[in-house]
C-alpha cells in the first residue's frame, strides 16, 4: 500500500475518485449544456441570489441562537449577601474574557484549569490577604460545588446543544480526525475541479467560503457560550460556598424557625393566637420617635383579623412582639419599640434591635419638620447595615403619620388625591411627603401618608399594606440569610457531634479490626 505525500492511502483515493467521477462528468456536461444554450449566466445569477439568501438566513438564525443562549445565561442570585456583588463582577469579567481558541475542547485539561480560575477569582474576593485563597475551603464543600455546578451544566448542555445526549466524547475525537482526512481529499477534488471547469470551481469556492464562515461563526458562538456558562456555574456555586450559603445537611428546611423567633413567640400575649407553623416568621420592626404613632400603626395593621389589641403603650421594653397574620402576607412577628429619642433606646440599642429583622417600618410625624435626629438615627442604622457583608439591608418603608393635623387642622375629609391636589389639605400632605423623603433620604414611593386616629385610620389597609406586600419578596430573601446563619451554626455542632460519635465507634472497633488482620 502506497501513501501519497499528504499521508493519504492511494487506493482509497482511487476508490473515492471512481465514486465521484460520474457526478463530476454530469456536472461538467451540465455546465457545457448551459453554456451552449445561453443559460449559464442566468444559472450563475440564480446561484448567487440563492447563496445570498441562504447566507442571510444563516446569519439570522445565528443571531436568534445567540439570543437564546444569552437568555440561558446564569444570573446572580438576588438572595446573596452584599459580599457577593464584587465576586460576581469578577466571575463575569473572567467569563467575558474567555476566548474559544485559548480553550480547545479536545484537550481534556481545560475543565480543571478553567474551573480553578473561576474558583480562584471568587476566593480572592473573600480572602484578599491570603497567598492561596483557593485552599480556604473544606473538602465536603468543594465536592458540593462540583456536584451542583456539574448538575446545572449537564442540564444546560442537554437542553441547548443538539445531539449532546447521543454523541460520545470519543465520537467527537473521531469526527475531528475524519474531518482532517476529508479536508485533504477534498483539496485534491477542488484542484481537479478547477482544471475541469474553472467557472464552476470559482462559484463553488465562493459558496463554500460563505458556508464555512457561517458554520465557523456558529461553532465559535456555541464554544464561547459553553465556556462562559461553565465559568458562571462554577463561580455561582463558589460564591454560595465562600459567602456561607452552602449547607451540607438536608435534614430540615433552611427556613425552619430560629431559636430567637421561638423565644419571641413564647413571649406573646396569651390573647394572641400564633400560627402553628415550624417556618420562620418574617420579623417586622416598627421604629420612630416617641409619640409618632408606632403603637397605633400596629393596631391599625391588625384591622379586624387575628389579634384584637388595645392601643399599645410606648413601653420601655426594648422590643415587644405581636403576631401579625393577614391575607397575602406570610406569617410575621411585628415588634413595637420605644421612641428612638427616648432615654431607653440609644443608637446602639436601635442597631441591635434591627440586626435580625426583615422589614423596617419607620413612623415619622408629618406635622413635625424637625427631622434631623431621625436622619441621624437612620444614617447610623444604614452605616451599621453596610458593614455586615454577610447580609443585605432590609427594605425600609416610612409611614408619614398625623397627616390629619396638617393645616387646615380642622379639615379632614379623605380621600385626598396627592398626584393632583384639589385643595390646601391635599397640597400640604403632598408637600409633607416630599419633605420627609428628602429629609430622611428615602425614595418618595416608600413614604406612605397615613392617619392613625382611632376608628378613623386612613391609607393603612390599602396604600401602606400594598407597600408592605410589594416588599415581601425582598423581605423573604433577608429572612433566608438569617436562617442560613443559624443553620450553619447548628450544622457545625451537629456534624461535630456525629464525627465524634463515629470516631469513637471506630476506635472501639479498632482492636477487633487489627486482630482480624493479624496485626
Amino acid at each position: 500500500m502506497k501513501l501519497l505525500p499528504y499521508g493519504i492511502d492511494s487506493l482509497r483515493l482511487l476508490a473515492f475518485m471512481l465514486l465521484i467521477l460520474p457526478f463530476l462528468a454530469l456536472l461538467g456536461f451540465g455546465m457545457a449544456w448551459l453554456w451552449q444554450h445561453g443559460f449559464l449566466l442566468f444559472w450563475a445569477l440564480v446561484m448567487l441570489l440563492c447563496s445570498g439568501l441562504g447566507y442571510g438566513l444563516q446569519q439570522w438564525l445565528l443571531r436568534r441562537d445567540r439570543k437564546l443562549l444569552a437568555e440561558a445565561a446564569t444570573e446572580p442570585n438576588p438572595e446573596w449577601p452584599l459580599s457577593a456583588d464584587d465576586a460576581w463582577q469578577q466571575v463575569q469579567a473572567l467569563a467575558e474574557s474567555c476566548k474559544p481558541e485559548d480553550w480547545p475542547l479536545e484537550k481534556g485539561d481545560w475543565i480543571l484549569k478553567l474551573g480553578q480560575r473561576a474558583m480562584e477569582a471568587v476566593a480572592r474576593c473573600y480572602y484578599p490577604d491570603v497567598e492561596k485563597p483557593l485552599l480556604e475551603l473544606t473538602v465536603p464543600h468543594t465536592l458540593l460545588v462540583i456536584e451542583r455546578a456539574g448538575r446545572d451544566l449537564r442540564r444546560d448542555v442537554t437542553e441547548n446543544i443538539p445531539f449532546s445526549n447521543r454523541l460520545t466524547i470519543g465520537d467527537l475525537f473521531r469526527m475531528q480526525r475524519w474531518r482532517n482526512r476529508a479536508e485533504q481529499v477534498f483539496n485534491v477534488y477542488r484542484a481537479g475541479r478547477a482544471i475541469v471547469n474553472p467557472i464552476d470551481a470559482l462559484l463553488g469556492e465562493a459558496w463554500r467560503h460563505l458556508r464555512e464562515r457561517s458554520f465557523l461563526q456558529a461553532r465559535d458562538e456555541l464554544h464561547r457560550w459553553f465556556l462562559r456558562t461553565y465559568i458562571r456555574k462554577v463561580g455561582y456555586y463558589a460564591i454560595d460556598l465562600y459567602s456561607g450559603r452552602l449547607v451540607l445537611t438536608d435534614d430540615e428546611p433552611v427556613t425552619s424557625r430560629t431559636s430567637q423567633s421561638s423565644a419571641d413567640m413564647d413571649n406573646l400575649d396569651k390573647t394572641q393566637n400564633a400560627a402553628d407553623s415550624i417556618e420562620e416568621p418574617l420579623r417586622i420592626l416598627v421604629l420612630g420617635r416617641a409619640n409618632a404613632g408606632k403603637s397605633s400603626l400596629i393596631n391599625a395593621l391588625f384591622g379586624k383579623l387575628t389579634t384584637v389589641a388595645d392601643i399599645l403603650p410606648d413601653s420601655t421594653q426594648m422590643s415587644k412582639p405581636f403576631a401579625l397574620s393577614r391575607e397575602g402576607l406570610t406569617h410575621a412577628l411585628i415588634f413595637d419599640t420605644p421612641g428612638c429619642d427616648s432615654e431607653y433606646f440609644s443608637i446602639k440599642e436601635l442597631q441591635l434591635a434591627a440586626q435580625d429583622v426583615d422589614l423596617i417600618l419607620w413612623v415619622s410625624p408629618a406635622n413635625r419638620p424637625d427631622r434631623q435626629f431621625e436622619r441621624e438615627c437612620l444614617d447610623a442604622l444604614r452605616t451599621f447595615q453596610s458593614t455586615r457583608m454577610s447580609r443585605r439591608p432590609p427594605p425600609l418603608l416610612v409611614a408619614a403619620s398625623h397627616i390629619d393635623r396638617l393645616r387646615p387642622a380642622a379639615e379632614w375629609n379623605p380621600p385626598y388625591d396627592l398626584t393632583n391636589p384639589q385643595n390646601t389639605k391635599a397640597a400640604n400632605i403632598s408637600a409633607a411627603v416630599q419633605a420627609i423623603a428628602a429629609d430622611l433620604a428615602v425614595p418618595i414611593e416608600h413614604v406612605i401618608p397615613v392617619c392613625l386616629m382611632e376608628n378613623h385610620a386612613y391609607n393603612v389597609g390599602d396604600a401602606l399594606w400594598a407597600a408592605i406586600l410589594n416588599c415581601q419578596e425582598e423581605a423573604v430573601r433577608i429572612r433566608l440569610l438569617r436562617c442560613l446563619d443559624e443553620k450553619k451554626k447548628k450544622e457545625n455542632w451537629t456534624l461535630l457531634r456525629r464525627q465524634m460519635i463515629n470516631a469513637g465507634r471506630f476506635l472501639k472497633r479498632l482492636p477487633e479490626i487489627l486482630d482480624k488482620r493479624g496485626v
Side-chain angles (χ1 to χ4, degrees):
M1 181 180 64
K2 296 182 180 181
L3 296 178
L4 296 179
Y6 293 101
I8 304 176
D9 185 352
S10 57
L11 294 179
R12 293 184 182 274
L13 178 60
L14 178 60
F16 176 75
M17 295 301 295
L18 289 174
L19 288 173
I20 67 172
L21 187 59
F23 298 98
L24 292 176
L26 179 61
L27 182 62
F29 289 135
M31 295 296 294
W33 185 89
L34 291 172
W35 178 72
Q36 290 176 355
H37 290 78
F39 295 140
L40 183 58
L41 181 59
F42 176 76
W43 173 85
L45 292 175
V46 172
M47 180 180 177
L48 289 176
L49 178 62
C50 293
S51 300
L53 292 175
Y55 178 75
L57 180 60
Q58 285 185 331
Q59 292 299 310
W60 179 82
L61 291 173
L62 181 62
R63 288 194 295 270
R64 186 199 64 176
D65 294 341
R66 186 185 295 120
K67 182 179 178 180
L68 292 175
L69 292 176
E71 292 174 353
T74 303
E75 298 294 335
N77 193 336
E79 297 172 352
W80 280 340
L82 289 174
S83 59
D85 294 345
D86 291 339
W88 183 252
Q89 290 180 4
Q90 294 298 321
V91 171
Q92 286 283 66
L94 178 61
E96 293 298 327
S97 64
C98 187
K99 299 179 180 179
E101 57 268 22
D102 297 335
W103 301 95
L105 298 182
E106 58 268 18
K107 293 184 178 181
D109 59 345
W110 70 270
I111 191 167
L112 293 177
K113 292 182 178 180
L114 198 56
Q116 182 179 351
R117 285 198 182 183
M119 293 282 288
E120 286 178 345
V122 174
R124 183 63 63 187
C125 294
Y126 286 92
Y127 298 95
D129 301 325
V130 178
E131 182 180 357
K132 296 182 178 180
L134 191 59
L135 302 181
E136 301 298 320
L137 47 83
T138 66
V139 174
H141 285 98
T142 304
L143 295 175
L144 187 58
V145 169
I146 296 173
E147 172 193 335
R148 294 191 176 182
R151 178 196 62 197
D152 287 358
L153 187 61
R154 169 185 55 80
R155 182 177 62 247
D156 288 346
V157 169
T158 303
E159 293 178 354
N160 293 284
I161 299 182
F163 305 108
S164 58
N165 61 319
R166 303 293 297 175
L167 295 175
T168 66
I169 297 177
D171 291 335
L172 297 178
F173 282 106
R174 286 189 289 270
M175 289 171 63
Q176 183 66 27
R177 291 199 302 267
W178 294 340
R179 178 176 176 270
N180 294 334
R181 293 180 181 178
E183 284 182 349
Q184 294 173 348
V185 174
F186 185 66
N187 288 336
V188 176
Y189 160 72
R190 290 166 57 196
R193 186 173 64 169
I195 297 174
V196 174
N197 195 332
I199 297 179
D200 177 64
L202 180 62
L203 295 175
E205 288 296 312
W207 170 238
R208 186 182 67 86
H209 175 73
L210 292 176
R211 187 175 62 249
E212 286 187 353
R213 182 179 177 183
S214 298
F215 170 77
L216 292 176
Q217 284 181 337
R219 186 193 65 181
D220 289 344
E221 285 292 330
L222 194 60
H223 190 176
R224 184 179 293 107
W225 170 85
F226 181 78
L227 295 175
R228 291 178 177 179
T229 300
Y230 175 69
I231 291 173
R232 292 188 179 107
K233 290 296 182 185
V234 174
Y236 182 97
Y237 287 110
I239 293 175
D240 269 355
L241 169 62
Y242 284 100
S243 64
R245 292 190 71 257
L246 278 187
V247 293
L248 298 173
T249 56
D250 299 322
D251 49 352
E252 61 181 18
V254 174
T255 54
S256 296
R257 187 187 300 174
T258 62
S259 56
Q260 183 181 20
S261 293
S262 296
D264 288 330
M265 295 183 74
D266 291 338
N267 293 330
L268 292 175
D269 290 341
K270 295 181 179 179
T271 57
Q272 299 190 69
N273 297 319
D276 186 15
S277 172
I278 63 172
E279 187 178 36
E280 171 72 1
L282 288 181
R283 298 173 66 88
I284 304 174
L285 184 65
V286 181
L287 295 172
R289 62 171 59 182
N291 299 316
K294 300 185 299 298
S295 302
S296 299
L297 178 65
I298 293 177
N299 281 277
L301 285 173
F302 283 136
K304 296 181 180 180
L305 301 178
T306 61
T307 303
V308 179
D310 296 328
I311 298 300
L312 305 175
D314 203 3
S315 163
T316 60
Q317 185 179 346
M318 287 303 98
S319 58
K320 185 176 182 181
F322 296 87
L324 178 62
S325 179
R326 289 188 61 166
E327 184 179 358
L329 180 71
T330 186
H331 175 57
L333 291 177
I334 188 167
F335 295 84
D336 190 18
T337 59
C340 60
D341 54 349
S342 69
E343 58 180 318
Y344 308 106
F345 209 51
S346 65
I347 297 294
K348 182 65 174 179
E349 288 166 338
L350 181 146
Q351 294 172 342
L352 292 176
Q355 68 179 352
D356 288 316
V357 299
D358 310 311
L359 175 64
I360 295 177
L361 298 179
W362 188 277
V363 185
S364 180
N367 62 327
R368 293 190 58 176
D370 53 327
R371 303 185 184 94
Q372 182 60 34
F373 183 73
E374 294 182 63
R375 175 63 180 269
E376 293 175 358
C377 291
L378 279 174
D379 286 345
L381 184 58
R382 294 181 182 116
T383 301
F384 170 72
Q385 292 169 340
S386 66
T387 60
R388 307 178 70 210
M389 301 303 292
S390 61
R391 300 279 185 90
R392 286 193 177 273
L396 171 69
L397 295 176
V398 177
S401 61
H402 301 332
I403 59 173
D404 52 298
R405 301 180 187 179
L406 295 173
R407 292 183 299 174
E411 177 193 335
W412 182 244
N413 187 27
Y416 293 100
D417 183 4
L418 303 187
T419 58
N420 186 24
Q422 300 295 322
N423 52 45
T424 304
K425 189 78 167 184
N428 287 337
I429 294 175
S430 177
V433 169
Q434 296 178 27
I436 291 175
D439 292 344
L440 302 185
V442 176
I444 193 170
E445 61 270 15
H446 286 186
V447 180
I448 298 91
V450 295
C451 174
L452 302 175
M453 286 192 299
E454 187 176 2
N455 299 323
H456 294 284
Y458 169 68
N459 236 21
V460 177
D462 42 18
L464 179 60
W465 188 249
I468 292 175
L469 294 181
N470 286 337
C471 293
Q472 181 173 205
E473 184 177 355
E474 185 179 356
V476 168
R477 295 171 186 160
I478 307 299
R479 181 187 67 173
L480 176 62
L481 292 176
R482 285 195 302 105
C483 295
L484 277 171
D485 285 346
E486 171 131 341
K487 185 172 178 62
K488 292 285 291 184
K489 294 176 182 178
K490 290 182 178 179
E491 180 185 73
N492 291 336
W493 288 107
T494 301
L495 291 178
L496 179 60
R497 184 174 66 252
R498 291 179 185 174
Q499 292 163 359
M500 297 302 293
I501 292 174
N502 291 332
R505 290 173 178 171
F506 175 76
L507 292 175
K508 183 178 180 180
R509 294 178 53 202
L510 184 59
E512 180 182 350
I513 295 174
L514 295 177
D515 184 60
K516 289 182 178 180
R517 295 181 178 179
V519 178

